Amino acid sequence: MKCKIHAETIERQMERNWPSGVKKTRQRTEIFQILAAAGKPLTATEIYRLINESREGKPYAFSTIYRCLQTFEAAGMLIRSIAVTDENAMYELRMEQHRHYAICLSCHERFPLRTCFLGDLRQMLPADMDGFEITGHQIEIYGYCPACAQ
Amino acid sequence: MKCKIHAETIERQMERNWPSGVKKTRQRTEIFQILAAAGKPLTATEIYRLINESREGKPYAFSTIYRCLQTFEAAGMLIRSIAVTDENAMYELRMEQHRHYAICLSCHERFPLRTCFLGDLRQMLPADMDGFEITGHQIEIYGYCPACAQ
DNA sequence: TTGGTTGCAAAATGTTTGCATGACC
DNA sequence: GGTCATGCAAACATTTTGCAACCAA
């Protein structure tokens, strides 16, 4: 929101990725914008803070945040995940090309990995799991980022 | 515990993998045995149920389970992780060769993958993340197991 | 014996839900 | 105007913590 250069691309992103079945409300729009502006996974609490600290008047309720995120997830607009090294769910707008992250154990920052190098995931399934229907996967690398490594 | 064939291997596993710094108590021993017998990640609640349903008298407290698991983790005896598709932490005894899982979105069963095919993880780090010190990684495949796929 | 561990209860946290009010289409 | 989303508060589930009693080394 601070960066006007991104403002219209977020608008466009919203137009393109907002299913017609999902009603637009002030709260939902702002949550979407926060996520789009962040460009990385956020927790519900982070979203709550980000959205309410830039507002005067009554803050949006936590239940609203959670319900919107559930709606978005059900509509396929975002992906909910939990990092190995973390406690809480994180929410990230679904991208054309999905991403994985390197996560710093110290500062908890998430650095997007270059690409998903995984070849044929089916290779990794055991022999008797031929019937397993793969719908997704996740890779995480964790350790210490350059800043924290010292 | 039901299977006597495994009984002594669990004993041996305990002897080998129990650091001398960790005091042995009845509770800790039983938690270790539950985990060893399961051979797969369990949640704190699952451990609580498994350990207490095979006991008469007062059940072990939840706080004890959690504190033991923390102790084990700090001692490097087990690994704590959270699945993308799940809410709660799971605890698994550390194996010589680490494992990854295919997780069924329907029944939540976890099927160990054959091997970790990842080559050089460093390839996946972005160029400016050269200083990132990798200490671990996680791969998960999710979808529907043969039984649930229908 | 003594410090670390357990049990209990209460607190902290993250998330969900019921219901009345209010906003979008 | 009707339906669905919101806000509030209370419920819920998981995990953590304080403190006294207890156990293993």
Side-chain angles (χ1 to χ4, degrees):
Chain A
M1 321 286 237
K2 292 171 192 164
C3 176
K4 296 216 168 172
I5 300 170
H6 287 161
E8 58 179 334
T9 74
I10 289 177
E11 281 305 319
R12 237 183 287 150
Q13 192 179 343
M14 189 152 60
E15 305 252 321
R16 255 189 303 128
N17 297 332
W18 198 290
S20 56
V22 177
K23 196 181 283 185
K24 271 192 187 176
T25 67
R26 201 157 28 95
Q27 290 85 339
R28 288 181 178 180
T29 307
E30 291 189 30
I31 290 173
F32 188 101
Q33 287 171 340
I34 291 284
L35 284 165
K40 64 172 186 178
L42 298 174
T43 64
T45 305
E46 286 172 329
I47 296 169
Y48 179 86
R49 294 218 185 97
L50 284 169
I51 213 167
N52 284 323
E53 75 191 6
S54 62
R55 274 177 57 75
E56 67 279 359
K58 295 195 173 177
Y60 296 147
F62 253 113
S63 52
T64 303
I65 309 283
Y66 279 111
R67 275 192 280 228
C68 289
L69 291 171
Q70 280 174 193
T71 304
F72 287 175
E73 191 191 10
M77 297 165 69
L78 61 72
I79 291 174
R80 179 200 137 99
S81 68
I82 303 186
V84 189
T85 58
D86 238 314
E87 307 289 288
N88 305 332
M90 309 198 84
Y91 303 87
E92 174 180 32
L93 290 183
R94 171 170 281 167
M95 316 287 286
E96 323 72 53
Q97 178 75 32
H98 72 220
R99 284 195 296 201
H100 300 297
Y101 295 89
I103 303 166
C104 179
L105 295 172
S106 172
C107 66
H108 283 204
E109 188 63 36
R110 302 163 80 97
F111 306 94
L113 298 178
R114 300 171 78 165
T115 36
C116 176
F117 272 130
L118 280 193
D120 185 6
L121 287 169
R122 298 208 68 80
Q123 286 179 44
M124 300 184 72
L125 289 175
D128 59 334
M129 277 294 129
D130 247 15
F132 196 99
E133 183 188 326
I134 298 176
T135 64
H137 67 273
Q138 197 214 29
I139 307 173
E140 271 170 18
I141 293 177
Y142 43 92
Y144 298 93
C145 73
C148 294
Q150 299 140 10
Chain B
M1 323 288 237
K2 292 170 193 165
C3 177
K4 295 216 170 172
I5 300 170
H6 287 162
E8 58 179 333
T9 72
I10 288 177
E11 281 305 320
R12 234 183 289 148
Q13 193 179 342
M14 190 153 59
E15 305 252 323
R16 252 188 303 126
N17 297 332
W18 199 289
S20 55
V22 177
K23 196 181 283 187
K24 272 191 185 175
T25 67
R26 201 158 26 95
Q27 291 85 339
R28 288 181 178 179
T29 307
E30 292 190 29
I31 290 173
F32 188 101
Q33 287 171 342
I34 291 284
L35 283 165
K40 63 172 186 177
L42 299 174
T43 64
T45 306
E46 286 172 328
I47 295 169
Y48 179 86
R49 294 217 184 99
L50 285 169
I51 213 167
N52 285 322
E53 76 190 8
S54 62
R55 275 176 57 74
E56 68 278 1
K58 295 194 173 175
Y60 296 146
F62 252 114
S63 52
T64 303
I65 309 282
Y66 279 111
R67 275 191 280 225
C68 289
L69 291 171
Q70 279 172 195
T71 303
F72 287 175
E73 192 191 11
M77 298 165 68
L78 61 71
I79 291 174
R80 178 200 138 101
S81 67
I82 304 187
V84 189
T85 58
D86 238 314
E87 307 288 288
N88 305 332
M90 308 198 84
Y91 303 86
E92 174 180 32
L93 290 183
R94 172 170 282 168
M95 317 286 287
E96 323 72 53
Q97 178 74 33
H98 73 220
R99 284 197 296 203
H100 301 297
Y101 296 88
I103 303 167
C104 178
L105 295 172
S106 173
C107 66
H108 283 204
E109 187 62 36
R110 301 164 80 97
F111 306 94
L113 297 179
R114 299 171 81 165
T115 35
C116 177
F117 272 131
L118 281 192
D120 184 6
L121 288 169
R122 301 208 66 81
Q123 285 178 44
M124 300 183 72
L125 289 175
D128 58 335
M129 277 295 129
D130 247 13
F132 197 98
E133 183 187 327
I134 298 177
T135 63
H137 67 273
Q138 197 215 29
I139 308 174
E140 270 169 20
I141 293 178
Y142 43 93
Y144 298 93
C145 74
C148 294
Q150 299 142 10

